[in-house]
Amino acid sequence: TELAPGERRISLDFADRSWVEIKDVSQQVILTGEFPAGVQQTVKGRPPFKLWIGRASGVRVQYGEQKVDLAPYARDDVARLTLE
């Protein structure tokens, strides 16, 4: 799907069962839930995005064309970060 001006895309690949919550610039939840291994989710919206990812070691995140390393944001395997 095409992106509107100012929109960005986030893709998540789940290698392990994990839960996710993503909010956009207006603090609206654009993705929430628990996802099993093998699932891919893609959302789009306006940044900044707030991400909260459980079992972060089992999730690969891509923001636009860029891979996001969750390790610096993870504590007890829960990552909290903002993507600008």
Side-chain angles (χ1 to χ4, degrees):
T1 51
E2 291 298 308
L3 294 177
E7 281 189 333
R8 299 287 306 272
R9 182 178 286 119
I10 303 172
S11 299
L12 301 101
D13 259 314
F14 296 89
D16 200 346
R17 175 174 291 280
S18 307
W19 54 265
V20 172
E21 184 176 282
I22 301 177
K23 292 181 179 177
D24 67 7
V25 65
S26 64
Q27 296 302 306
Q28 184 175 341
V29 175
I30 57 173
L31 180 67
T32 186
E34 189 173 308
F35 300 96
V39 167
Q40 183 178 42
Q41 290 285 326
T42 301
V43 294
K44 62 182 183 174
R46 294 186 183 281
F49 299 101
K50 287 200 166 73
L51 285 73
W52 198 16
I53 302 174
R55 203 166 295 154
S57 59
V59 183
R60 288 185 299 279
V61 177
Q62 190 163 325
Y63 185 44
E65 299 301 311
Q66 187 176 340
K67 292 190 185 333
V68 178
D69 181 8
L70 296 178
Y73 307 101
R75 186 169 164 185
D76 297 328
D77 211 18
V78 175
R80 289 182 175 87
L81 63 150
T82 299
L83 296 175
E84 298 293 342

